Amino acid sequence: MPEENVDKPYIVTCTAPVNIAVIKYWGKRDEDLILPINSSLSVTLHQDQLKTTTTVAISRSFKEDRLWLNGKEEDITHPRLQSCLREIRRLARKRRNDGDPESTGLSHKVHICSVNNFPTAAGLASSAAGFACLVYSLAQAFGVEGDLSGIARQGSGSACRSMHGGFVEWIMGSREDGKDSVAQQVEPESHWPELRILVLVASAKRKPIGSTSGMQTSVQTSLLLKHRAESVVPRRMDEMIQAVRRKDFSAFAELTMKDSNQFHATCLDTYPPIFYLNSVSQQVIHLVHRYNRHYGESRVAYSFDAGPNAVIFTLQQHVQEFVNVVQHFFPPDTNGEDFIKGLPVTHAVLSEEVRQAVSLEPMPKGINYIISTKAGPGPRVIDDPSQHLLSADGFPRKTL
């Protein structure tokens, strides 16, 4: 952080993406450091459709650290927030002690303002994007460089994967201090340009059981989770990385669906059981398998995180027809204008053959809307000051 004009806040704004795990992370071996019981692999979604924006302001005139999230002031003393702040300040201090003149203002307080352009806590990885953006923005403000994924992990496990674009592996690591539990890019977003992602938003409500408490119960009670972590995931990780590198959609699709199914099986094997999927989620699963069976190949794949929303992976040439299938079997309230957000999808008449092959009872308004997107880059700095969420005095901008 530069020294100039010490009374004026130094302001930085960044954005960070959502990621969707295709090999799931569920369960920690260390709650405080957020160390997982298995490695995981994700696809970073494009920020044009799904992102968190965070502005950090540093000033010696601020009395205390403060945080505003989606327009409302939140408690900044949350332990996970504090560990991210503490770690960034520690690295900035270390850098200054190493003789770097840029790292000034370390004793100054920070104001943080953050917004998501998608529903928070609805199973759309809002905490991953949020903590990745927080850590990246703080690092920019305090002049901290290097791999930040280990710090983001301490905010929210999956946030470490949002520190990179494209296809990302979170290596579980084995050290007790967690230093080797970091995320690294397997392939950049440009590697598989034909890959498309459709988020079918079945519910934007807050999920009934948060991921943190759900994981704790699963680790304590599910024998299947132990078997999954030790025997299934290591092989699946290798197979998935190979499928991504070969751009083998058929292998990618089958692994993605099997891993999603097994994750939800561990939730059912948890005692008492955890249900993240609802009747709409189950109908989407039937629809995907019937659609694929009709074509005799895996053209689409589903993945569900800790929530009812389906994330569909497919190739560009199949997007139009599959979206029409979804619109037919989940007829929306509107005539389709607001039903599809993000990358445009042209409407076409669904063939009778496909309709007959899928042959499910329509569920009107089962899907609220679809977000059409693709793989995208990691966190970015926003240079345009008009995009700052905090005004020049370091307080949230007044919105009309």
Side-chain angles (χ1 to χ4, degrees):
M1 150 183 183
E3 184 80 79
E4 61 204 70
N5 198 345
V6 286
D7 288 328
K8 196 174 171 211
Y10 177 62
I11 300 179
V12 173
T13 298
C14 300
T15 62
V18 166
N19 73 77
I20 297 295
V22 288
I23 302 292
K24 305 291 187 190
Y25 143 61
W26 192 253
K28 305 180 189 75
R29 62 184 172 90
D30 185 305
E31 287 288 336
D32 295 331
L33 293 173
I34 311 190
L35 302 177
I37 62 168
N38 63 265
S39 297
S40 55
L41 194 130
S42 62
V43 182
T44 298
L45 306 190
H46 206 288
Q47 294 180 52
D48 284 354
Q49 283 75 49
L50 294 153
K51 69 180 175 192
T52 295
T53 303
T54 300
T55 298
V56 169
I58 306 177
S59 172
R60 71 159 164 214
S61 66
F62 296 160
K63 303 281 185 287
E64 57 185 350
D65 293 338
R66 293 178 74 179
L67 167 75
W68 292 267
L69 179 59
N70 293 320
K72 187 166 152 267
E73 184 156 15
E74 299 284 351
D75 180 13
I76 201 161
T77 63
H78 189 286
R80 291 184 176 187
L81 263 167
Q82 285 300 314
S83 55
C84 292
L85 261 169
R86 199 166 48 243
E87 195 58 18
I88 290 289
R89 281 176 164 142
R90 184 187 71 77
L91 290 175
R93 204 166 285 116
K94 181 173 181 287
R95 196 171 166 193
R96 184 166 66 180
N97 291 343
D98 291 345
D100 188 329
E102 288 292 294
S103 316
T104 54
L106 295 182
S107 59
H108 298 173
K109 300 299 183 187
V110 296
H111 284 184
I112 301 160
C113 189
S114 195
V115 295
N116 296 330
N117 69 347
F118 56 93
T120 302
L124 283 175
S126 56
S127 64
F131 275 105
C133 205
L134 171 79
V135 168
Y136 191 79
S137 307
L138 286 169
Q140 296 295 322
F142 281 109
V144 171
E145 291 171 348
D147 179 25
L148 301 166
S149 69
I151 304 173
R153 186 201 75 232
Q154 293 175 54
S156 169
S158 50
C160 70
R161 297 189 307 243
S162 280
M163 299 305 287
H164 300 282
F167 302 84
V168 184
E169 176 185 13
W170 175 11
I171 301 157
M172 65 179 284
S174 56
R175 287 175 51 158
E176 279 189 29
D177 64 4
K179 292 277 192 283
D180 58 350
S181 185
V182 293
Q184 64 183 23
Q185 189 179 68
V186 170
E187 291 291 345
E189 63 273 16
S190 56
H191 167 71
W192 201 348
E194 306 82 12
L195 191 71
R196 287 287 178 274
I197 298 120
L198 302 166
V199 183
L200 311 189
V201 180
S203 166
K205 296 193 194 83
R206 190 169 277 272
K207 55 198 180 196
I209 297 166
S211 303
T212 302
S213 63
M215 278 187 211
Q216 286 171 339
T217 316
S218 292
V219 168
Q220 288 157 8
T221 63
S222 171
L223 293 177
L224 176 56
L225 185 67
K226 190 175 185 321
H227 169 70
R228 166 180 164 73
E230 291 171 4
S231 306
V232 180
V233 170
R235 189 181 69 252
R236 258 188 203 163
M237 285 292 293
D238 292 340
E239 290 172 359
M240 184 61 92
I241 288 168
Q242 289 312 310
V244 167
R245 290 200 165 132
R246 291 196 313 268
K247 293 188 273 193
D248 179 344
F249 186 78
S250 180
F252 174 87
E254 188 174 321
L255 284 165
T256 295
M257 291 189 279
K258 283 182 171 176
D259 204 73
S260 176
N261 295 345
Q262 192 180 67
F263 157 54
H264 288 281
T266 64
C267 290
L268 287 178
D269 189 49
T270 299
Y271 190 79
I274 304 167
F275 302 94
Y276 285 121
L277 305 183
N278 60 19
S279 57
V280 175
S281 319
Q282 290 161 5
Q283 192 83 328
V284 169
I285 291 170
H286 291 312
L287 187 150
V288 166
H289 284 294
R290 289 183 184 192
Y291 181 79
N292 286 340
R293 190 173 60 211
H294 171 65
Y295 283 108
E297 63 177 358
S298 294
R299 290 195 170 188
V300 291
Y302 55 76
S303 185
F304 294 85
D305 279 348
N309 302 313
V311 178
I312 300 290
F313 294 91
T314 188
L315 297 174
Q316 193 170 355
Q317 67 260 34
H318 306 312
V319 168
Q320 183 188 43
E321 185 180 67
F322 188 74
V323 166
N324 291 331
V325 169
V326 172
Q327 274 186 293
H328 178 78
F329 290 101
F330 296 96
D333 238 352
T334 63
N335 58 6
E337 292 156 31
D338 301 324
F339 189 61
I340 300 157
K341 303 173 190 293
L343 297 175
V345 179
T346 50
H347 184 70
V349 177
L350 188 61
S351 76
E352 189 58 34
E353 199 188 348
V354 172
R355 208 171 11 221
Q356 292 291 333
V358 174
S359 185
L360 288 167
E361 191 67 37
M363 289 181 82
K365 296 186 278 191
I367 303 288
N368 294 343
Y369 57 91
I370 297 174
I371 304 168
S372 167
T373 186
K374 59 184 179 179
R380 301 161 156 173
V381 177
I382 303 299
D383 292 322
D384 179 1
S386 71
Q387 300 296 304
H388 290 332
L389 303 175
L390 298 169
S391 52
D393 63 358
F395 286 84
R397 285 179 184 269
K398 300 281 181 283
T399 50
L400 296 174

